Amino acid sequence: MEKVYEKAYEKVIDYIESNILDGHFEVGDKLPSERELSQMLSVSRNSVREGIRILEVIGVISSQHGIGNYIADHFDKTLVQVMTMMYALEKMTYNEIREFRYAVEFQAVVLAMDNITKDQIEKLQKNLDILENSQDEEEQVLNDKMIHYTIVEASGNRLVIANYLALAKIMDNFIRETRSKIMTDARNSIAFQGIHRRLVEAICSRDLELGKKALDEHFVYICKNLDT
């Protein structure tokens, strides 16, 4: 049964999405020209342009002026934009963002137990060493973030990684302010670094229960300092 489209550009979107799902289009493939798509789908070139523009906005297509349109995978950027706008328009609260990030990192810890590589373990240990010994706050912030990102990366799950990157982008300012508050108090600083040490040791030794406990401690500590 032939599909009924409300607007002609929907036919263009459906054609491209169907070909991606069927495996006929892959990342990096060049699409037929606007003229070819127009003739092939019996729609105007304006409809072709509108369909391509929509797919470009959501990260499916990359348009290169004078060269053509290509299948892309810019979904991380799109996720950041969507979540940022939801937060800015008060369609999503900071607590919801924080809870979602906890869920994403929790799943990352679970998956990393089986998937982490030797190189990633070495990266974690190096970042922890710098975090504990550096006197430079910017360097501490960077290595704190790298510990969390490496654990997420070690999950091997692209959806976990994409969602984490989008959430981290929104939370950066909050985390930076919280870290500054924590690091100005020597006792807080030592306690916070201890939590990161337990998290890294849990991942490196593949101790799931210890990893869950350390992640819980981390988020409780963050919440406590954000709320005071």
Side-chain angles (χ1 to χ4, degrees):
M1 181 177 177
E2 188 175 347
K3 289 186 180 180
V4 177
Y5 298 97
E6 289 187 11
K7 296 178 180 179
Y9 69 76
E10 293 176 351
K11 193 172 185 180
V12 180
I13 293 172
D14 184 64
Y15 168 78
I16 294 171
E17 288 183 342
S18 297
N19 275 277
I20 290 172
L21 291 173
D22 291 343
H24 298 142
F25 290 158
E26 297 181 352
V27 172
D29 285 352
K30 186 176 181 179
L31 293 177
S33 69
E34 289 181 3
R35 180 179 58 79
E36 290 171 322
L37 286 171
S38 174
Q39 293 175 347
M40 189 187 313
L41 301 174
S42 300
V43 298
S44 71
R45 291 183 68 167
N46 282 339
S47 295
V48 172
R49 292 190 192 101
E50 182 64 10
I52 288 173
R53 186 190 67 80
I54 291 170
L55 290 174
E56 185 177 13
V57 167
I58 63 175
V60 176
I61 286 176
S62 173
S63 293
Q64 300 180 32
H65 185 67
I67 300 176
N69 301 303
Y70 294 81
I71 302 298
D73 60 350
H74 300 154
F75 303 114
D76 291 357
K77 180 180 177 183
T78 305
L79 275 171
V80 171
Q81 291 171 333
V82 170
M83 290 186 187
T84 301
M85 287 299 102
M86 286 179 70
Y87 180 68
L89 296 171
E90 298 183 345
K91 298 298 182 183
M92 179 169 56
T93 67
Y94 176 70
N95 281 336
E96 288 174 318
I97 295 169
R98 186 168 61 190
E99 289 163 358
F100 186 26
R101 179 171 168 178
Y102 172 80
V104 169
E105 288 205 53
F106 182 89
Q107 188 60 34
V109 166
V110 172
L111 294 172
M113 294 295 167
D114 292 327
N115 298 324
I116 193 165
T117 66
K118 182 180 177 182
D119 286 346
Q120 288 167 335
I121 287 174
E122 290 175 356
K123 279 170 62 178
L124 282 177
Q125 292 169 337
K126 180 180 178 181
N127 291 136
L128 178 65
D129 182 62
I130 296 172
L131 176 65
E132 292 182 329
N133 294 295
S134 175
Q135 300 301 312
D136 184 283
E137 187 177 324
E138 289 296 318
E139 195 170 41
Q140 289 177 336
V141 169
L142 175 61
N143 283 277
D144 179 338
K145 290 165 67 173
M146 285 306 301
I147 286 171
H148 290 274
Y149 175 71
T150 300
I151 293 171
V152 170
E153 183 186 49
S155 73
N157 186 298
R158 286 176 292 181
L159 284 174
V160 169
I161 296 169
N163 277 287
Y164 173 81
L165 290 173
L167 291 164
K169 185 78 172 178
I170 301 171
M171 291 187 71
D172 261 357
N173 289 334
F174 295 98
I175 296 300
R176 183 175 292 275
E177 291 170 11
T178 302
R179 167 164 282 286
S180 295
K181 286 169 61 178
I182 292 171
M183 300 311 286
T184 55
D185 184 301
R187 288 176 300 178
N188 276 343
S189 175
I190 292 170
F192 199 51
Q193 289 177 358
I195 291 170
H196 282 85
R197 170 163 286 281
R198 289 190 287 279
L199 182 59
V200 169
E201 288 176 346
I203 299 295
C204 293
S205 63
R206 302 177 193 270
D207 186 328
L208 181 56
E209 292 308 311
L210 182 60
K212 290 178 181 178
K213 184 177 178 181
L215 190 65
D216 283 342
E217 284 184 89
H218 181 275
F219 274 84
V220 167
Y221 212 83
I222 289 289
C223 292
K224 175 185 168 184
N225 282 276
L226 275 170
D227 296 335
T228 56

